[in-house]
Amino acid sequence: MVATVIGFGGRAPSKVLELLSQAVSSEKVSGVKCVRSQSIPNALLRPPFRTFCAGNNAALNDLIVYCLPTSVSEYLSFNSEANEVRSAILSSDAVVAVFDAKCDDFVGGTVQDVISALSNEDAKKEMLASAAIQALSSLDMMASTQISGPKKQADTVIVVGSGGREHALAVALARSPIVGKVICCPGNGGTAVEGGKITNAEGVNGKQDNDTVIELTKRVRANMVVVGPEQPLVDGIVDAMKVACPDVRVFGPSKAGAELEASKAFTKDFLQQYGIPTARFRTFTKAEEAIAYVESLDENDRQVVKASGLAAGKGVLIPTSKAETIAAVKEIMSDKSFGSAGDTCVIESFMTGPEASCLAFCDGKTAILMPAAQDHKRALDNDQGLNTGGMGAYAPAPVVTPSMHKEVEAMCIKTVQKMAERGTPYVGVLYAGIMCTPNGPSMLEYNCRFGDPETQVVLPLLETDLYEIFTACCDGALDSIDIRFKENTCAATVVCAASGYPESYPKGMEITGIKEANDVKGVKVYHAGTSLDGNSVTRCSGGRVLAVTGLGSSFKGALDASYNAIRHLDFVGSNNESLMHYRTDIAKGVLNKKLRIGVLGSTRGTALLPVIEACASGALHAEITAVVSNKKDAQILDKGRALGATVTTKFIPSKGLSRAQYDAECSAALVEAGAEFIILVGYMRILSKQFCEFWSGRCINVHPSLLPKHAGGMDLAVHQAAIDAGDEESGCSIHHVTEEVDGGPVIVQKSVKIEKGETAESLKAKVQPLEGKAFVEALQKYCGKTVISYADAGVSIDAGNQLVEIIKPACKSTRRAGCDADLGGFGGLFDLAAAGYNSDDTILIGATDGVGTKLRIAQATKKHDFVGIDLVAMCVNDLIVAGGEPLFFLDYYATGSLDVNEAAAVVRGIAEGCRQSGCGLIGGETAEMPSMYSPGDYDLAGFSVGAVHRDRILPNGVAPGNVLLGLSSSGIHSNGFSLVRKLIEKEGLTYDSPCPWDSNCESIGDSLLTPTKIYVKACLPLLKKQLLTGMSHITGGGLLENLPRSLPKGIVAEITGHPELPPVFKWMQQVSGLDDHEILRTFNNGVGMVLIVKSDKVAEAKEILKDAGEVVYDLGVLVEGEGEQVIMKHNLQ
């Protein structure tokens, strides 16, 4: 016989547990099957019931224990269960016991009456059946009224806000059969077209202030207002509503309650006052006092610095050194980077461990915790890039074990109770930001509202009617409702953002593929930054645009659904380019999470040490979460305690308990610690059949012989048996635990030779060291990933493809005669004939270069738009010195982690350089190499090919009397930056500092990033007219090193007219102390290109150059001479 328990959800009433425990122990039923009753199995394991569930695959029969729905909504949603129960009463021999949660008792009988009915007392069975039918009939009448009766409830709910969180709230509320309308104020493009019960408010003009919400509430006669964002709560919307609309329920805390988010200083004091675990902290209102406190700390005492007030989620700085901590204090308190939010500053100790988002429903008296979620704050894969509002999330987060869930819920309950004691009852959602430290959960902060994107990932898991939950919260009756979530279901949300987010990003792009994405099974697309244009086209209006949530029976299934849906989506720019960005690694960690090991042991636990060491070193992708023993003084418990406070270490006495009862209590401890896999290390107990079934395939043991030999014995007796049998070898076996002692499948064996004269003790000494190694080898088969992708190595193929699509228009814009400048092939093609070159008299010229350490400045300032121009300039300026015309260009971009927006900015700069030089950008290579480059670093190389007629190669005909003309540079160009960066550091400046040599530049960084001048279009006419005998590109080595490269032996350049040093070079010379000779061989000093002109062509050359907008200097003349080939006739000015 099997007991089937239906509809208890998160409830585990003691009378139901008592009934099931008695039924199993008296053998009235052999097992318990749970349907939508997720709390029953674990509750049954705990004392005093100590009972295993079993029979989950059995048919619905024998004993049915049904929990009456507590609301019409629940009854309507799961009416099939009631029909199944009704059918069982009328057409089977099953005993049906109906439990009424409202009165916490069975309908029509007691626990003992049900036990009697199971003993074939027909009168008891009929009594219970009659009461069950009557209870179901009452629910039928209530349901009928709600479906079609004149008193049908159809409440109107206003959801305040316009983000993805509010869209998710609206969708969840609309599922309630007692909600008639959900009006979003102001809502977004998604809520505008959601349809059904959901609409956007009319006449609010995008506003959500107190007056607007109150006016709307009165106009539509709303029954409830649900407040999404924190700002209206902090502004006192709940308080204002209570005065203006006292009969309307408002879900959200009062202004006093919202202080938990509005002031981090208040929250930290609150946590400390009531003994809720949090980091050590101090609060300050004066910057100098905060700095003095930081200076008093040890150098290794890392801190986190927070603006106390609301700072749009950006007011938390995480420095890595004392100097950075002081800088963070100044940024918040002195520079006012977060405005008045930084008037008070909180400095707290840095905590380590994974973070979790834990949301709780609160009714002013108590709190009920939802499944924990984990979100991804960084903009880019592998947690790189800037912080955002959240790029994705998943739930339930495995990092929060059942026992930790209880701890966090207790913190939230205590918070609600203490707020009530202070006269400020907290109603609404309490968002606890938790750090899962080695010493247990610790409170990072509170938020006074649902999180985003956590809402989009948690609410789809909710099974209970959200409107009824909110009603219970507002009425202070949370304990009257069962809040339950879907069993065996995971959710994953991936945020699609506009390219460039969280920095500057475009708006107005058309969003395509929304319907197709929503049609993917298990997917819901929630809108955030969207709006409808005049033609009802959905367009991007914010940074985080969509949140795509997938559901599945596993995280892999949920993620597959989300990413399959995203493949249909795009944000299409005005040039038909894709402007959508999303992370490709959401929940990657949970897919590769560590195996959680529980340990049962009775002895010293020597074999556990290699497992502990393998977990610590990473050789085993696992962690030990619990060590349980039947011996109070077992040394294995000391090994568990040494692992830290988060590892459950517990002695469980067995006195007075049956084998199955004891095993159930041990299993309860293991389950609550989150253990998934059990190892028996010197465990001196025979396990019950129920334990073996419960942990089937998930429990292994070590036996000190080569099984199947000598099974069944223990310790020295086994070794003696091997010796007595004359075995030539023995060893140890790791095997699965089954009901047959030592009879489960063998996984790993390690062997040793049995020597002549061996004793049981000496053989044990040889075998025992192998046991730990064998455990590690066996466990490796059950943990770790079976598939390692390119993305796991840190390389994103999708990001690379996205980059190509983004840069295609920029590359296409460089088309010229001879090439299409199209991307996507294996090589770029160029047609010389189409460019006007005859292959018989044409020489190809190649030039390659990079940008050097100027890239460090671009990376430090996050300004990447101009270094691409530098790259092209360094190549094509070299190329024209040989007399050639640049034809095409290729680039090489190498990085540790591909930031699509960053790379696209660089390539757009390269395309601009190609346009300026008239060459086609026909291809390139993007190399993502995590092991070669640090996060945020990239390097560039460029390759340019040009052509020159065979008889026009330069230098050609350079002779005494030729005139030197200098063309002005745009600045430092791309050489000498190792020295430049050193000088900036020497002067105590940063790239954000005001520019000391140019008051028109906002910062030093802006000035230094001025792109290298490209001289191609100015000089090509001179080359075609054959006015030049030579040219010199002034790069690294300056004038003194580069000009001689174009001069034949016996020719000397006399520099008589070097221009005055531009301000940037004067400053560099001043702070460096370099003399004229050294600075002339370091920088270009204002002259970026030198032209060697025939003396009779100087006037014509100058005219052409000036028409091209060039500043031309009469630099000097060539003369005969030996020795140094560049002679300065005057000092630099």
Side-chain angles (χ1 to χ4, degrees), residues 8 12 22 33 128 146 164 396 401 512 575 747 765 817 831 991 1005 1010:
F8 283 85
Q22 280 193 36
K33 175 182 177 181
L128 292 167
Q146 180 57 35
T401 62
T512 60
N575 294 320
I747 308 163
D831 185 346
Y991 301 127
T1010 302

Side-chain angles (χ1 to χ4, degrees), residues 427-682:
V427 173
V429 161
L430 185 63
Y431 174 153
I434 295 294
M435 181 71 81
C436 305
T437 77
N439 295 315
S442 185
M443 194 69 65
L444 284 169
E445 62 180 6
Y446 279 131
N447 292 322
C448 63
R449 37 69 191 181
F450 277 99
D452 188 338
E454 290 89 349
T455 307
Q456 295 93 304
V457 80
V458 171
L459 286 188
L461 296 174
L462 183 66
E463 198 173 80
T464 307
D465 185 323
L466 184 63
Y467 184 64
E468 291 191 337
I469 296 173
F470 285 176
T471 300
C473 288
C474 294
D475 295 347
L478 197 54
D479 57 357
S480 70
I481 191 165
D482 177 39
I483 298 176
R484 64 188 77 191
F485 291 83
K486 294 173 183 175
E487 295 179 81
N488 304 315
T489 305
C490 300
T493 294
V494 182
V495 170
C496 297
S499 294
Y501 174 81
E503 297 184 293
S504 61
Y505 52 84
K507 295 181 181 180
M509 300 84 76
E510 180 182 354
I511 306 173
T512 60
I514 295 175
K515 180 183 182 303
E516 293 80 359
N518 268 319
D519 286 343
V520 174
K521 185 179 179 181
V523 166
K524 176 64 184 174
V525 179
Y526 296 108
H527 292 235
T530 70
S531 60
L532 298 182
D533 65 13
N535 297 316
S536 296
V537 174
T538 305
R539 296 191 178 274
C540 301
S541 62
R544 289 191 298 164
V545 180
L546 301 173
V548 182
T549 298
L551 298 181
S553 59
S554 65
F555 281 113
K556 184 180 184 303
L559 287 163
D560 285 348
S562 293
Y563 282 117
N564 286 338
I566 285 173
R567 291 191 182 97
H568 295 285
L569 296 168
D570 202 1
F571 306 160
V572 183
S574 56
N575 294 320
N576 219 32
E577 72 273 36
S578 173
L579 294 174
M580 183 176 82
H581 165 67
Y582 59 92
R583 284 184 57 164
T584 64
D585 65 342
I586 299 303
K588 182 176 77 172
V590 77
L591 291 178
N592 191 28
K593 72 181 183 69
K594 293 180 177 180
L595 181 70
R596 290 177 166 170
I597 299 171
V599 181
L600 289 174
S602 306
T603 56
R604 291 179 298 174
T606 304
L608 184 60
L609 289 175
V611 177
I612 293 172
E613 291 166 1
C615 290
S617 70
L620 200 57
H621 195 63
E623 59 183 334
I624 295 170
T625 63
V627 179
V628 175
S629 179
N630 62 320
K631 300 290 186 182
K632 187 175 184 179
D633 56 354
Q635 293 180 34
I636 197 169
L637 292 174
D638 296 330
K639 293 174 174 64
R641 294 184 192 102
L643 292 173
T646 58
V647 175
T648 298
T649 304
K650 194 170 187 180
F651 156 63
I652 298 177
S654 58
K655 186 176 181 180
L657 302 178
S658 69
R659 185 180 296 170
Q661 287 174 329
Y662 182 77
D663 289 348
E665 186 171 346
C666 289
S667 293
L670 294 167
V671 168
E672 288 176 12
E676 304 162 312
F677 202 90
I678 309 303
I679 63 174
L680 309 182
V681 182

Side-chain angles (χ1 to χ4, degrees), residues 1-8 16 20 24 29-38 40-41 44 51-66 84 487:
M1 296 178 71
V2 173
T4 302
V5 184
I6 303 173
F8 283 85
V16 173
L20 296 172
V24 171
V29 297
S30 59
V32 179
K33 175 182 177 181
C34 295
V35 177
R36 220 167 48 85
S37 302
Q38 57 263 42
I40 294 292
L44 264 179
T51 302
F52 283 100
C53 284
N56 281 351
N57 297 318
L60 197 74
N61 55 11
D62 306 325
L63 170 63
I64 298 172
V65 183
Y66 175 63
E84 210 165 357
E487 295 179 81

Side-chain angles (χ1 to χ4, degrees), residues 162-207:
S162 60
R165 162 183 53 213
E166 287 73 38
H167 191 179
L169 284 166
V171 169
L173 287 164
R175 292 194 192 104
S176 173
I178 58 177
V179 169
K181 293 180 184 177
V182 179
I183 301 172
C184 300
C185 177
N188 57 40
T191 52
V193 298
E194 183 68 39
K197 301 175 183 179
I198 300 172
T199 60
N200 282 354
E202 296 180 357
V204 299
N205 298 318
K207 296 190 290 186

Side-chain angles (χ1 to χ4, degrees), residues 847-851 854 866-881 886 889 909-917 919 942-944 970 973-975 1010-1016 1033-1035 1088-1089:
T848 182
D849 211 333
V851 183
K854 186 174 185 177
F866 299 131
V867 290
I869 299 176
D870 287 309
L871 183 67
V872 176
M874 296 304 291
C875 294
V876 298
N877 287 344
D878 280 354
L879 194 149
I880 59 168
V881 166
F889 191 89
I910 293 172
E912 174 59 28
C914 287
R915 286 192 292 271
Q916 290 182 25
S917 58
C919 63
F943 311 89
S944 182
S970 57
H973 285 182
S974 298
N975 295 101
T1010 302
T1012 304
K1013 184 187 283 189
I1014 294 175
Y1015 298 98
V1016 174
H1033 183 202
I1034 310 305
T1035 59
M1089 182 70 75

Side-chain angles (χ1 to χ4, degrees), residues 313-386:
K314 299 177 181 176
V316 178
L317 303 180
I318 307 177
T320 59
S321 66
K322 183 181 287 190
E324 288 183 8
T325 306
I326 292 171
V329 170
K330 290 178 180 177
E331 182 177 347
I332 289 174
M333 302 193 77
S334 303
D335 300 342
K336 295 295 181 184
S337 295
F338 307 105
S340 60
D343 290 347
T344 298
C345 175
V346 175
I347 302 176
E348 67 178 33
S349 296
F350 178 80
M351 294 188 290
T352 59
E355 293 184 36
S357 302
C358 299
L359 282 65
F361 294 114
C362 307
D363 69 349
K365 302 173 184 176
T366 190
I368 296 177
L369 202 64
M370 304 176 220
Q374 283 189 292
D375 70 340
H376 298 259
K377 290 294 187 189
R378 298 283 189 167
L380 307 178
D381 284 0
N382 300 313
D383 289 328
Q384 300 297 311
L386 298 175

